[in-house]
Amino acid sequence: LKAVCETEGVAPKIIATVDDLEAIKGVGPVILQKLHDFGVYRFKQIALWSPERIETFSNRLEVFKDRIGREEWVTQARQMHAEKYGEPV
């Protein structure tokens, strides 16, 4: 599965692997689509989120804006990336 990833200030690029972001507690189909609309397809992308990036995405969530911190998405994404790819973030 390939997806196009757009990141601020970076030209779109093809992502060869899309991780199962719904494995992260608190991510369901609706939030998954919001993540994809935000250009997020991989655990590593969430694992590297800065506080500013977390705030920006949190503002896109209509309810449960504190979900990312409360459910520790960044920590979960780091662990899932390490388990899947055998490397720390």
Side-chain angles (χ1 to χ4, degrees):
L1 181 60
K2 292 187 179 185
V4 176
C5 174
E6 293 186 37
T7 311
E8 295 173 19
V10 178
K13 60 183 177 181
I14 298 295
I15 302 254
T17 303
V18 176
D19 293 330
D20 178 13
L21 299 180
E22 287 182 291
I24 296 173
K25 181 181 175 189
V27 176
V30 173
I31 292 179
L32 178 65
Q33 185 58 54
K34 289 180 185 280
L35 286 164
H36 289 176
D37 293 345
F38 197 57
V40 176
Y41 298 91
R42 311 236 5 227
F43 297 131
K44 189 172 185 176
Q45 290 175 279
I46 295 173
L48 295 173
W49 273 0
S50 66
E52 295 80 16
R53 198 83 161 140
I54 292 169
E55 182 178 350
T56 300
F57 187 76
S58 290
N59 289 332
R60 291 179 176 227
L61 300 176
E62 295 164 8
V63 292
F64 305 118
K65 291 188 178 197
D66 64 337
R67 172 171 279 181
I68 296 169
R70 185 182 70 242
E71 295 180 354
E72 300 181 344
W73 286 12
V74 172
T75 300
Q76 289 185 68
R78 284 182 181 148
Q79 291 170 343
M80 291 176 185
H81 175 82
E83 289 170 11
K84 183 173 181 178
Y85 298 102
E87 63 180 25
V89 178

